[in-house]
Amino acid sequence: MFKKLSWALGLIIIIIIGFLIISRSMLYNYDVNADHAYDFTATEATIIPVEISGNSLMLPAYEGVGQSSFLKVEVEASLFSHVIRPSLELSGNNGSEIQYFEHGANGERYINVSKLIEAGAHEIIFEENFLSIVDGKTDLIQFENPILKDKKILILAPHPDDAEIASFGLYSEHDDIFIVTVTSGDAGSFMYDEVYSSDEAKAHYLKKGEVRTWNSLSVPMLGGVPPENLVNLGFNDARLRGMYRDKDLIASGVYTEISDMNTFRKQNTSYLAKGLEGINNWDSLVGNLVYLIGEINPDIIITPSPMLDMHSDHQYTTIAAVEALKKLNKRDGQLLLYTNHQVNFNERFPYGEMGSLISLPPTPKGSNYFRRLYSYSMSIDVQRNKIFALDAMNDLRLGTDYRFSGRAFQQAFETLWMQLTGKDESYFRRSVRSNEFFFVIEMDDIYDDKKLDKL
C-alpha cells in the first residue's frame, strides 16, 4: 500500500514539474538561448573594459553621476531555472537591486547597474539565483542622461494609461509636462459584462471610452500635471493604422460606430483644446499634432518606439508625430522612445516582480536605431505613487466582478492561474519597477532616411 502511494505521489510530482516546464517554455516567442544582440558602435556609448571575477565587479575610478550604465554578461541557466525564474541580485555599498531573466536563459544579456553606480558603488557583488554569470573580461556601457531640468516635455500617449505605464515616475518629478492622449480608449476587452449585457456592446464601449477619456484628463494630476496641460484628441481606439493606410477613411469606433471625435473630446478643459479641429482621419491627426507641437514647442517628446512596441496604435502615434515634426521642420530636441507592448506582443517583458530592474529588451527582430539608452531611476516612494496612478486607471484594474461572489471567486482563480503559469501580464507587475526605460534619439535623426527606417 505504501509503495503504491509513493508511486502515485512520484507520478503527481513528475506531472506537476512537467506542466511547469512546458508552461514556462511557452511564455516566449523567441529563442531564450539567443544573445540579446546590440551593436553600440554607432551610438554615443562610452564602453569601458571591466572584469567579472568571483561574482564581483570592481568599478573603475570615475564619476558615474548623470549616466545610465549597463553591464554586458554571459549567463548560463541552471536546470531549475526552467521551473523557477532565474535572477541576479546586485549589491553595492549603497543598496541592492534585482534583475530577472527568461526561464532557461543562456547567452549575452545586459544588466542595468545604473542605480548602483549613481549611488556611488565602487564594487558590485552578484548573488546568482538559478543561473550563473561567466567570469572574465567584459564591457560596461554608459550613456549620458538627457538633461530634463528646466526642459519642456511632451508625452504622447496612444491610449489613456500609456503615459502612466511608460513614464509616470519621470513626469511626476518634473514641472513643465504636457500629456496628449490620442485615442479615447473605446475598444479593447468587454470589461463590464456585469453591468452591460452582451447585446449592449455599443453602450458599454461608449461608457468605457467616456471613462477612460476622463482618466486621461484627471489621473496625471496625481503626478502634478496641471489640467491645462492635458489634452485628449478623441480619436477611436484601434483605428490609427487603417487611417494611415487609407487617407480618405473617416474612421469610426470599432464597437461604438461613432466617428464624431467630439463624443469624447468634449471633456477637454485645457486652453489647448480650443485649437483642435478636423475630422476623424489621418490628416486631422497629423494636423492636430502639428498644432499642439507648435503651440507647446517641447524640448523633449516621449513617444512609443515604432519598431519595438507592437501595438499598431502605438506605432502610428509616433509615425504621425514624425510627420508633424517634419511639417514644422522642428530639428532641435530629443525623442525618448518607450515600449509598452514588447517583442511581438510578448506581454510578459520585463520579467520578474514589481520593484525589480528593467534593462535592454530581447532583440528577435534585431536592434532598433538609438543614440543613447536612458534608465530613469525611481525611488520607493515614486513607485508607490505609480501604483496609485495605475490603480486610478479603470482599464488597468479589475472590472466589476467583485460585486458578485461567484465572479469574484472566478477572478481570484484566474489571477492565481496566471501566476502559476507565469502569464501575469499586469502593468502593475511590469511597469512599477526600480526604473523606467527609454531609447533616446535626436529630433534631427528623423530627417535621415536610413536612421528613420531603423526606427
Side-chain angles (χ1 to χ4, degrees), residues 313-325:
D313 282 350
H314 289 230
Q315 295 168 339
Y316 287 93
T317 289
T318 301
I319 290 170
V322 167
E323 287 192 19
L325 288 168

Side-chain angles (χ1 to χ4, degrees), residues 248 259 297 437:
D248 294 325
S259 61
N297 193 25
F437 186 86

Side-chain angles (χ1 to χ4, degrees), residues 3 190 193 256 317 410:
K3 186 178 289 186
F190 196 97
D193 53 342
T256 63
T317 289
Q410 178 183 341

Side-chain angles (χ1 to χ4, degrees), residues 7 40 243 250 262 348:
W7 275 103
F40 297 106
M243 289 161 48
I250 299 175
N262 194 52
R348 266 76 72 181

